[in-house]
Amino acid sequence: AQNLLTALNQWQENLLKVGQFLIERQQAFLSSRDRLDLVQTPQQLVAQAVGLSNATVSRIVRGRYLLICDQHSKVIPLQSLCVPVRVGGRTPQQVQQLLMQLIQEESPTNPYSDEQLAQLLRIRFGLPIARRTVTKYRKIAGLDPSHQRRVTD
C-alpha cells in the first residue's frame, strides 16, 4: 500500500511539473486564445525542462485537460500545448492562419496560385516553404485552389 501511495504522489508531482511548465511557456496563447501565439514546445523540450523521459511526458499530457477559468471558461487538452516545431519554426496551424490571411487579402478576380502563396510566405514572413507544402496546408485548412477561388464577372 505504501508503494502505491508513493507512486501516486510521484505521478501527481510529475503532472504538476509538466502542467506548470506548459502554462508558463504558453502564457501568451492562454491569454489571447489565438493559435498564432502558441510557442513551439515539443514534448522532448518539456521532458528535458522538467527532468522526465519523453515517454513519461507523453503519458502525462495524453488524455489530460486544463480548465481555464475566466469569462469564457474553456477546457483544453494539455497535449495541444505541446506544439511541435515544423515549417520554418512555425506550427502547421500558424502556417494555415498565414495562408488564410494571404487568401483574404488577394484579389478575387486574380487569386494567388500555390506557388505565389509560397513566394509570399517567403518574402513577407521569412518562411521557407515549398509549393507542395502550401498545397498540403491549404487543403487541410479547407481552402480551395486558385481556379475555384477566382470570381468571374
Side-chain angles (χ1 to χ4, degrees), residues 45-101:
L45 175 68
V46 178
Q48 286 177 338
V50 298
L52 299 171
S53 73
N54 190 31
T56 301
V57 170
S58 178
R59 284 191 300 275
I60 287 172
V61 299
R62 191 179 322 119
R64 304 286 183 311
Y65 298 86
L66 177 66
L67 174 62
I68 302 172
C69 297
D70 58 10
Q71 302 136 323
H72 310 287
S73 291
K74 186 175 182 181
V75 176
I76 60 172
L78 265 182
Q79 195 165 20
S80 69
L81 299 179
C82 291
V83 182
V85 177
R86 296 289 167 107
V87 179
R90 303 217 186 205
T91 66
Q93 293 84 6
Q94 289 172 327
V95 174
Q96 289 170 26
Q97 290 272 351
L98 294 174
L99 282 172
M100 285 187 243
Q101 179 183 334

